[in-house]
Amino acid sequence: MTATAFAALHRAGEPLLLPCAWDHASALALAGQGFHAVGTTSLGVAAGAGLPDGASATRDETLRLALALGSAPFLLSVDAEDGFSDDPDQVGGFARELAAVGAVGINLEDALGPADRHAEKIAAVRAAAPGLFVNARTDTYWSGDGDLAETVRRLEAYRGAGADGVFVPGLTDPAPIASLAAHFDVPLNVLYSPAGPTLAHLADLGVRRVSLGSLLYRRALGAALETAAAIRSGRAPDAPTPTYDEVRALVRA
């Protein structure tokens, strides 16, 4: 399974729905539901390790998870935050390690830092691990003020540096989504929001990849809290629950 196969999943009219796992069991469970590609969520990895997300604190944990999942029977794309370094060569080295353990994609966020520096990181990844699908993320709508012109400027720089796809989490307005999808010659990736367009609507807008980010991890945590509260109040939990043996089987998979 290769990055070429992963790239082929980014289809017009039928976007790749990319669920994001935080450990071995969650990834294998998602693959068991028929998802041919699985991503990782930096929030889930960081929270599971008791570390802050988005602070370049989980390089080792991210690589360890990639090592556990890279040989699994699905295509793996890794959320690498900002590459865990401001040094493009170190980011390229990390990408090379991901490719060596079987990952086919990497997601790199700019955290609204200098666009030229992020472009250098992307170029370094292209040189160090040419087989990886590089998804270049800008945070203009995630933590910025949602400036469409600035979004285009940044993404054009990242595309020029060799990005295979562009990602704008936090963008849910159909008009700019359609504009960005039409503007770029590579797949546009957005983050699914329960309050935003449906998957079918996003497909109609030209989106070719829809990521679930940390949503599944947060939902799982919410279900755990709800279950504990229900039992404490004398109610039986009513959410579907994998059996003990089903979870054990994921470890053997």
Side-chain angles (χ1 to χ4, degrees), residues 110 113-115 118-119 122 136-138 154-163:
D110 64 12
H118 198 60
I122 292 166
R137 164 178 161 171
T138 184
R154 285 175 174 267
L155 294 183
E156 284 180 342
Y158 307 157
R159 174 61 182 134

Side-chain angles (χ1 to χ4, degrees), residues 179-230:
S179 176
L180 288 172
H183 183 84
F184 288 97
D185 64 346
V186 294
L188 173 66
N189 178 194
V190 299
L191 185 69
Y192 173 78
S193 169
T198 64
L199 184 63
H201 190 185
L202 290 171
D204 290 341
L205 294 172
V207 173
R208 284 193 273 166
R209 174 166 161 179
V210 180
S211 298
L212 296 186
S214 65
L215 178 62
L216 300 182
Y217 176 78
R218 291 182 287 114
R219 291 274 293 179
L221 185 58
L225 295 173
E226 169 61 25
T227 299

Side-chain angles (χ1 to χ4, degrees), residues 2-253:
T2 67
T4 301
F6 183 60
L9 295 176
H10 297 68
R11 293 188 286 262
E14 189 181 351
L16 167 64
L17 179 62
L18 188 70
C20 298
W22 55 94
D23 61 11
H24 182 273
S26 58
L28 270 291
L30 289 165
Q33 289 296 306
F35 289 97
H36 298 299
V38 176
T40 65
T41 162
S42 65
L43 176 63
V45 173
L51 295 169
D53 184 34
S56 297
T58 57
R59 183 189 190 282
D60 292 346
E61 288 76 11
T62 300
L63 185 59
R64 190 176 302 118
L65 181 58
L67 177 61
L69 300 179
S71 60
F74 54 81
L75 297 161
L76 175 67
S77 182
V78 175
D79 182 353
E81 296 188 10
D82 65 350
F84 305 113
S85 175
D86 284 336
D87 182 344
D89 288 339
Q90 290 188 18
V91 177
F94 183 71
R96 188 185 298 112
E97 291 183 87
L98 291 179
V101 300
V104 299
I106 184 172
N107 190 77
L108 290 173
E109 63 193 50
D110 64 12
L112 294 184
D116 56 350
R117 183 180 67 201
H118 198 60
E120 290 172 0
K121 293 181 183 182
I122 292 166
V125 170
R126 283 263 62 89
L132 279 183
F133 185 104
V134 181
N135 198 44
R137 164 178 161 171
T138 184
D139 289 322
T140 48
Y141 280 81
W142 185 251
S143 52
D145 58 8
D147 186 319
L148 182 59
E150 175 65 6
T151 300
V152 170
R153 183 187 75 83
R154 285 175 174 267
L155 294 183
E156 284 180 342
Y158 307 157
R159 174 61 182 134
D164 298 293
V166 292
F167 183 22
V168 190
L171 176 60
T172 58
D173 186 355
I177 290 175
S179 176
L180 288 172
H183 183 84
F184 288 97
D185 64 346
V186 294
L188 173 66
N189 178 194
V190 299
L191 185 69
Y192 173 78
S193 169
T198 64
L199 184 63
H201 190 185
L202 290 171
D204 290 341
L205 294 172
V207 173
R208 284 193 273 166
R209 174 166 161 179
V210 180
S211 298
L212 296 186
S214 65
L215 178 62
L216 300 182
Y217 176 78
R218 291 182 287 114
R219 291 274 293 179
L221 185 58
L225 295 173
E226 169 61 25
T227 299
I231 295 170
R232 182 171 59 186
S233 66
R235 294 181 289 113
D238 57 6
T241 305
T243 67
Y244 178 84
D245 286 338
E246 286 170 339
V247 176
R248 286 192 68 200
L250 295 174
V251 178
R252 294 196 300 269

